[in-house]
Amino acid sequence: MKKIFLLLILGCAFTAEAQYGNGNGNNGQRQNMRRTQMMQMQQEAPKPNFDVKNYLGIVTYDIKKAAKKSSIKLSSTEGKQFSTILTKYNKEIKDITRINSFLLKSTKEMVENFQKKAMKTRDFSKQPKIQKTMNETLKPISKILKEEDLKLDTTIKALLSKKQYKKWIKYNNKRLYKFFDKKE
């Protein structure tokens, strides 16, 4: 009986030692390996990726998705007009971006170069200057885009019912971050 009791106690002790360890066994080695791996893997900061088109609000519409979100059937006459309006708008926006592609590309490069330098040196003191020059160079494009958006909004508003127009505005504000003026 004493032998069985002694074996039971020793078995429990070995089981507890195997499960929990005392910090310097296998468990400690795993923790040390994790620490060294984390130290070896130096996390690099993400590369700057400034999206000029997103900044300006340049959007080309997916006609089927826009019609679906606005509750318009493309097979109807209203849907066909909606489709031609958006097709024309998309073409004009693509022309604007193509004409100003050099300006958009140079602005993107300017901002990304500043971000790279600022991340290396941790000096963000020139950021207001960069923002000011970026806004000044992109202001003419922004004006043209706003005019096109207003034209689109007035034609869409004349075409759709109030309920459909509300859905159109909701789709633009939530999904595409386009804000049309609510002049009613």
Side-chain angles (χ1 to χ4, degrees):
M1 186 72 178
K2 289 181 184 180
K3 290 181 182 178
I4 293 175
F5 189 66
L6 183 64
L7 283 174
L8 187 63
I9 291 175
L10 284 175
C12 289
F14 284 126
T15 306
E17 178 69 26
Q19 284 182 355
Y20 302 110
N22 59 1
N24 61 4
N26 221 3
N27 209 8
Q29 288 175 350
R30 281 190 210 131
Q31 288 176 352
N32 287 339
M33 283 177 54
R34 284 186 195 139
R35 275 191 222 119
T36 55
Q37 285 176 350
M38 291 297 282
M39 291 171 75
Q40 287 174 355
M41 289 180 19
Q42 293 177 349
Q43 293 183 357
E44 293 182 20
K47 293 181 181 178
N49 186 17
F50 181 69
D51 191 6
V52 179
K53 290 182 178 182
N54 192 19
Y55 178 77
L56 285 173
I58 297 174
V59 173
T60 51
Y61 289 98
D62 180 6
I63 297 169
K64 289 181 183 177
K65 189 174 183 180
K68 183 179 178 183
K69 294 288 184 177
S70 300
S71 305
I72 301 170
K73 293 183 181 177
L74 288 174
S75 59
S76 67
T77 56
E78 185 181 68
K80 290 176 183 174
Q81 287 177 337
F82 183 77
S83 177
T84 55
I85 290 168
L86 286 185
T87 304
K88 182 181 173 189
Y89 174 81
N90 285 344
K91 185 181 178 300
E92 289 172 0
I93 294 299
K94 284 180 183 176
D95 288 343
I96 291 168
T97 55
R98 183 180 43 79
I99 290 167
N100 296 302
S101 63
F102 178 74
L103 184 65
L104 295 174
K105 192 181 286 186
S106 64
T107 304
K108 178 182 170 98
E109 289 174 359
M110 175 186 68
V111 172
E112 287 180 353
N113 287 336
F114 164 73
Q115 288 176 343
K116 284 178 188 176
K117 285 181 183 177
M119 289 167 73
K120 284 182 182 177
T121 61
R122 307 262 189 234
D123 180 25
F124 292 92
S125 62
K126 294 180 183 177
Q127 186 173 2
K129 181 182 174 188
I130 296 291
Q131 283 180 331
K132 186 177 180 182
T133 56
M134 179 181 67
N135 288 335
E136 287 173 359
T137 55
L138 296 177
K139 197 170 196 171
I141 301 171
S142 178
K143 256 186 185 176
I144 294 169
L145 290 170
K146 282 184 182 178
E147 289 172 5
E148 291 296 325
D149 285 343
L150 287 174
K151 285 181 195 175
L152 175 69
D153 187 40
T154 54
T155 54
I156 292 289
K157 190 174 184 178
L159 177 70
L160 303 179
S161 67
K162 277 190 172 184
K163 190 175 183 181
Q164 289 173 329
Y165 182 71
K166 275 187 175 180
K167 288 182 179 182
W168 166 255
I169 294 294
K170 185 177 178 182
Y171 168 66
N172 278 293
N173 291 350
K174 285 191 176 179
R175 301 286 184 245
L176 306 174
Y177 305 108
K178 280 267 192 199
F179 296 97
F180 294 117
D181 293 332
K182 293 183 180 179
K183 295 178 182 175
E184 293 183 15

